[in-house]
Amino acid sequence: MDNLCKRCLLFDMAGHDDVKAQLEKTKKLMGPEEKAPDDVYEKRLSQCKNCDSLINATCLKCGCYVEIRALSAATKCPAKKW
Ligand code: SF4
């Protein structure tokens, strides 16, 4: 696979406009009780950015885009890092 970006989040990478739009749409649709607080969300993404399992904004442990996975208050990291 070309253009692998280790430890990149979506907004670190060019392109992926469809997924970026999906992320923004999901953020707007989630109620405040469903969504992780902003500080928790940022902390989760910081942990993902320091994780060897993050490639092209995708977690190799679960196959999710971490910026979308980390949005939900109830979601957990598959490697128990958050
Ligand atoms: S294993 Fe956890 S910390 Fe690592 S990329 Fe996946 S969700 Fe993020």
Side-chain angles (χ1 to χ4, degrees):
M1 212 188 307
D2 290 335
N3 300 321
L4 283 180
C5 185
K6 205 162 167 52
R7 299 182 179 181
C8 276
L9 295 174
L10 280 170
F11 287 94
D12 297 325
M13 301 187 296
H16 302 274
D17 292 342
D18 53 338
V19 187
K20 289 173 185 172
Q22 186 191 338
L23 170 62
E24 294 306 321
K25 190 174 168 188
T26 304
K27 276 185 188 173
K28 285 185 187 139
L29 288 174
M30 289 178 92
E33 70 289 345
E34 295 173 277
K35 212 183 318 186
D38 288 347
D39 60 330
V40 171
Y41 183 63
E42 293 305 321
K43 190 171 176 202
R44 288 175 172 181
L45 294 184
S46 162
Q47 287 168 294
C48 291
K49 280 199 76 154
N50 285 302
C51 179
D52 285 337
S53 295
L54 185 69
I55 306 284
N56 280 3
T58 303
C59 172
L60 295 181
K61 301 267 185 204
C62 64
C64 296
Y65 286 106
V66 295
E67 280 144 298
I68 294 176
R69 183 179 181 94
L71 276 176
S72 166
T75 307
K76 298 196 180 327
C77 161
K80 298 184 168 58
K81 295 189 177 188
W82 49 261

